Amino acid sequence: MKKNARAREWSGVFAATLCPFHKDESIDEEGLRAYIRELACVPGLTGLVPNGHTGEIMSLLPGERARVTHIVAEEAGRGQKVISGVSAEGSREAIQHAQMAKDAGADAILLMPPHHWLRFGRTSRTAVGFFEDVASAVDIKIVVHQYPAWTKAGFTLAEMLEMVKIPNVVRS
């Protein structure tokens, strides 16, 4: 079934997922599996987005992010795509997280702008270069995470038009 999901267009409903934890802050893997199995059965759902921006990604260590992605990919084998969030402060770290997401079974990554851009801004070349760096290092589809235009990290139309020229960046 996974191959059929990969062939579909990158459009539709992608549900941002939650990650349950035990009291000691370790991942509740059984709870996550049960939750994803139930969520994956929702009619009309195209894909799942673990490690999303408003989820628990910032509470997870790199290996835990990959583990969550792996569990979601295993349990979503019913035809949904898996887009794993990647949040990093620079290209080298983002490349490492993207490779781990790919190895864990993600179909794509949701590449978030580095958080320091929110405070300090960045140049257009830096913004586009960040996506080029990740795309050239890891063969995985990339979904652009867009912050609101009023932030220093939101992408302009011109920047997004440059990003979609990168073969790995999803256009839909």
Side-chain angles (χ1 to χ4, degrees):
M1 266 275 207
K2 195 82 167 160
K3 289 190 180 209
N4 291 339
R6 289 175 197 261
R8 278 190 266 167
E9 300 255 338
W10 289 93
S11 60
V13 178
F14 290 81
T17 64
L18 300 173
C19 179
F21 292 93
H22 294 292
K23 287 185 180 188
D24 67 357
E25 297 183 8
S26 63
I27 298 167
D28 177 357
E29 292 193 13
E30 287 181 34
L32 178 59
R33 286 182 184 284
Y35 165 63
I36 296 302
R37 279 193 300 271
E38 185 175 335
L39 187 58
C41 292
V42 173
L45 192 63
T46 304
L48 301 171
V49 185
N51 302 322
H53 186 268
T54 56
E56 295 80 12
I57 187 170
M58 301 310 176
S59 300
L60 296 169
L61 298 171
E64 292 173 322
R65 293 178 187 185
R67 183 67 184 152
V68 167
T69 300
H70 176 76
I71 290 168
V72 172
E74 273 189 347
E75 298 301 333
R78 296 165 174 80
Q80 290 83 12
K81 289 185 180 186
V82 175
I83 303 172
S84 184
V86 168
S87 178
E89 290 304 304
S91 296
R92 290 178 56 214
E93 182 185 8
I95 290 165
Q96 180 185 45
H97 287 271
Q99 186 63 56
M100 291 172 75
K102 179 181 177 181
D103 292 346
D107 297 293
I109 59 168
L110 172 64
L111 187 55
M112 301 169 212
H115 284 104
H116 67 272
W117 291 359
L118 289 167
R119 183 168 182 174
F120 303 110
R122 81 296 184 277
T123 66
S124 288
R125 185 68 223 132
T126 298
V128 175
F130 180 64
F131 282 80
E132 290 171 338
D133 289 348
V134 175
S136 67
V138 183
D139 184 23
I140 193 166
K141 293 294 185 183
I142 300 172
V143 175
V144 177
H145 182 278
Q146 173 69 308
Y147 276 112
W150 52 265
T151 70
K152 294 179 182 178
F155 302 119
T156 66
L157 176 59
E159 291 165 348
M160 291 182 85
L161 289 172
E162 286 302 309
M163 288 174 193
V164 298
K165 291 178 184 175
I166 302 167
N168 296 37
V169 172
V170 171
R171 305 170 254 325
S172 200

